[in-house]
Amino acid sequence: MSSIQVFPAIDMRGGKCVRLFKGDYAQETVYADSPFEMAKSFAKEGASFIHMVDLDGAKDGERTHAAEVIRVAKELPVKVQIGGGIRSEEDVRFYLENGVHRVIIGSLAIREPELVANFIEEFGAERIVIGLDAKDGMVATHGWLETSNKSAIEVGKYFAKAGAKYFVFTDIATDGTLAGPNIPANVKLAEATNAEIIVSGGISSLVDIQRVKEAAQNSSVAGVIIGKALYAGRFTLPEALKEAE
């Protein structure tokens, strides 16, 4: 059985580590005061890659938590992928030139697809991740506050054709709910794009990780982002890493 990559998640709002319920900014739980200290503990527990999200940036369209992100990228022995508030070439360049390994582009990919296709060409498919956050199969933007008229599959096919290698797919209905991931939707996207799909939203148990791993046997599903389950103590990061091997 092939292994999958585990990405512990750090969602940042107001300088703290938080989790939202189904992306609702009004339903927030604060889990830690310092994103850097949280990243440090994940690194100590064996994480090789950390998924960071600037929730304020996603909503307001600017790099609000850039200092925390760059500190993690530069001071800890982990790779970092960052999403939220990346709305221009300047934002992409800023993060990549300051030690961040990959940037995740969501809203901009819907609003200006040609521009983002150019990013893949300019910065390389290894560095640009397309973030698809879907409500009932349709892509949501601007911190999930708006829903577009584009389906995740449609957008996925466009960017796969443009050379995208990685997609993070979040089913908003499951995010922060511990209700289990939407595996069929991820597999469908994998089949439509043949790109590496990172499953996000709803992971609640080691069994869920096992399910993602099983999906990876017959598709290009390649990784899993874990947030609330770690913070809520459903299992530890070392247990998740072992399960994903």
Side-chain angles (χ1 to χ4, degrees):
M1 229 189 211
S2 61
S3 61
I4 53 171
Q5 176 93 48
V6 169
F7 299 83
I10 296 176
D11 289 8
M12 299 168 290
R13 188 168 182 222
K16 299 181 189 302
C17 283
V18 306
R19 296 303 293 171
L20 303 183
F21 183 79
K22 294 188 180 181
D24 183 353
Y25 283 75
Q27 297 189 65
E28 170 191 275
T29 307
V30 176
Y31 282 104
D33 287 337
S34 164
F36 180 79
E37 289 304 319
M38 184 57 69
K40 198 170 166 182
S41 70
F42 284 152
K44 270 188 188 155
E45 291 179 331
S48 58
F49 223 127
I50 292 179
H51 173 84
M52 301 185 80
V53 180
D54 183 345
L55 290 171
D56 292 314
K59 197 166 71 149
D60 303 332
E62 55 190 43
R63 302 187 303 256
T64 310
H65 290 89
E68 288 94 332
V69 176
I70 286 160
R71 188 176 173 208
V72 171
K74 287 189 168 174
E75 295 183 27
L76 298 178
V78 291
K79 289 177 178 172
V80 172
Q81 63 181 24
I82 173 68
I86 297 165
R87 300 282 201 269
S88 67
E89 182 177 342
E90 184 205 345
D91 290 334
V92 174
R93 194 178 296 282
F94 172 83
Y95 279 125
L96 295 182
E97 286 180 354
N98 281 286
V100 171
H101 192 70
R102 292 182 194 155
V103 295
I104 303 163
I105 301 177
S107 300
L108 191 65
I110 305 304
R111 208 173 62 235
E112 295 187 54
E114 296 88 356
L115 178 66
V116 176
N118 289 342
F119 292 168
I120 296 167
E121 201 175 317
E122 184 179 349
F123 299 104
E126 277 298 328
R127 314 300 297 279
I128 305 290
V129 180
I130 305 299
L132 297 179
D133 305 324
K135 267 184 186 168
D136 303 320
M138 306 307 278
V139 177
T141 61
H142 300 85
W144 301 350
L145 300 175
E146 297 171 24
T147 305
S148 74
N149 60 356
K150 303 249 188 336
S151 77
I153 296 293
E154 184 189 344
V155 178
K157 282 180 171 171
Y158 173 88
F159 283 107
K161 206 173 168 187
K165 186 179 174 182
Y166 303 106
F167 290 87
V168 168
F169 180 78
T170 308
D171 178 16
I172 294 169
T174 65
D175 191 68
T177 64
L178 297 174
N182 186 339
I183 301 279
N186 280 276
V187 170
K188 207 170 155 191
L189 183 65
E191 286 166 352
T193 61
N194 215 21
E196 293 193 19
I197 310 300
I198 300 165
V199 178
S200 170
I203 298 291
S204 66
S205 66
L206 295 173
V207 172
D208 288 335
I209 298 173
Q210 187 64 37
R211 287 174 62 217
V212 174
K213 202 170 149 183
E214 281 164 12
Q217 302 318 302
N218 305 307
S219 72
S220 56
V221 167
V224 62
I225 290 167
I226 308 172
K228 193 170 184 179
L230 289 173
Y231 295 104
R234 292 293 183 99
F235 50 81
T236 65
L237 180 56
E239 284 171 337
L241 293 166
K242 190 164 187 276
E243 193 64 49
E245 272 175 13

